[in-house]
Amino acid sequence: SYSDPTFSDVGWQVKMADIAQIKQVTDAQQNFLSNVLVLKNGEQKQLMYGNYRGFDRRAFFKALVLANPNIMVPDNIYSYKMQRPAWAKRIRKKLGWDE
């Protein structure tokens, strides 16, 4: 379960078996960092652990993988993958540029 201590209206529960991966992405346009829990059905849930000082990402990722070894977690706890909007991906593909 997730319950945000700052925003009391942000909370949800999922089954460990339903979690596919944790993604850490940054927006190509605004350089905004996002931490996202991706479920097997494609649904995404925002995690705001980056806002909390002292949050141990390594322990969090370890606990997730211990509970469900099929969960994919980032290789590096502080690396973020660049995420481009759909329109930019289409243009880059048309021009023959790599993702």
Side-chain angles (χ1 to χ4, degrees):
S1 72
Y2 178 81
S3 178
D4 192 282
T6 302
F7 304 98
S8 60
D9 62 332
V10 178
W12 38 264
Q13 293 183 357
V14 297
K15 294 178 182 175
M16 280 297 222
D18 293 339
I19 301 172
Q21 76 178 102
I22 298 287
K23 289 191 333 185
Q24 297 184 142
V25 295
T26 183
D27 183 272
Q29 295 175 315
Q30 300 171 353
N31 201 24
F32 179 78
L33 303 177
S34 295
N35 307 296
V36 182
L37 181 96
V38 181
L39 301 179
K40 289 179 180 176
N41 67 5
E43 186 179 352
Q44 297 188 7
K45 306 261 186 200
Q46 181 78 32
L47 295 168
M48 292 185 259
Y49 58 73
N51 297 339
Y52 303 105
R53 196 168 192 188
F55 182 83
D56 188 344
R57 294 177 195 214
R58 187 170 283 115
F60 176 62
F61 293 167
K62 247 185 192 176
L64 285 174
V65 172
L66 183 62
N68 180 353
N70 296 320
I71 297 174
M72 294 177 6
V73 296
D75 292 332
N76 182 319
I77 61 172
Y78 293 111
S79 67
Y80 284 78
K81 184 177 179 184
M82 183 69 68
Q83 181 172 287
R84 292 186 173 86
W87 64 265
K89 290 178 184 178
R90 285 192 306 274
I91 290 171
R92 291 177 67 82
K93 184 175 181 178
K94 189 172 187 174
L95 295 172
W97 297 346
D98 290 334
E99 178 58 29

